[in-house]
Amino acid sequence: MNFKKIAVCALAATAVALAAPAAAQAAPVEHWELCDKSCANRAEGKITWHNRTATLSGDVYDVGPNWTQIKATAYAGNTQVGKVETRTADDLKPGGSPLPFSFTVGDTNRPGGIDLVIVELCFRSGCVDETALLRP
């Protein structure tokens, strides 16, 4: 095989490699769970990290009087990004517990995105010390 044919074959192989689609990269997914002392009132779910945001999905469980809530806040360093998202379950209301949720935190317009999501477990009496610190 002469040099010209080798060069043409090498160029063709390079073109095919460049035209092939890149393998999709999966975003890191992390499971989290928060509960009260009895773990009857709890929340569990997963966080999926995106470029400048994160999606939280899962369920909030409530048993007994009052309600159970999660509160999620996104941060870039020490700066809050976007609004605080809450989801509240109440087993005394129709369809109230478990309460499935899926929402996105962060801001798609913020350069650099977010590097922390804090999820708190809250009740009518306030938020407890059960907190999930989620990082990509």
Side-chain angles (χ1 to χ4, degrees):
M1 193 179 264
N2 65 27
F3 176 75
K4 196 183 245 183
K5 286 183 180 177
I6 293 172
V8 169
C9 289
L11 286 174
T14 302
V16 168
L18 291 175
Q25 291 184 345
V29 176
E30 186 176 337
H31 182 266
W32 56 270
E33 184 173 353
L34 301 170
C35 63
D36 66 0
K37 292 177 185 172
S38 68
C39 275
N41 298 298
R42 67 187 193 283
E44 59 184 34
K46 66 179 183 176
I47 184 167
T48 304
W49 295 94
H50 308 294
N51 186 24
R52 296 179 180 187
T53 61
T55 299
L56 282 89
S57 57
D59 296 288
V60 180
Y61 297 86
D62 178 68
V63 176
N66 301 316
W67 43 261
T68 302
Q69 179 184 75
I70 59 163
K71 181 167 75 168
T73 311
Y75 292 90
N78 293 327
T79 304
Q80 180 180 326
V81 177
K83 65 179 186 166
V84 175
E85 292 285 345
T86 61
R87 297 299 184 269
T88 306
D90 186 344
D91 67 333
L92 300 178
K93 294 185 178 179
S97 183
L99 175 72
F101 63 85
S102 181
F103 57 86
T104 301
V105 293
D107 182 352
T108 57
N109 296 317
R110 181 182 173 83
I114 58 175
D115 59 10
L116 172 67
V117 174
I118 297 177
V119 182
E120 297 175 89
L121 186 63
C122 305
F123 308 98
R124 183 175 178 192
S125 59
C127 297
V128 297
D129 290 333
E130 282 291 316
T131 303
L133 302 175
L134 307 172
R135 297 186 185 275

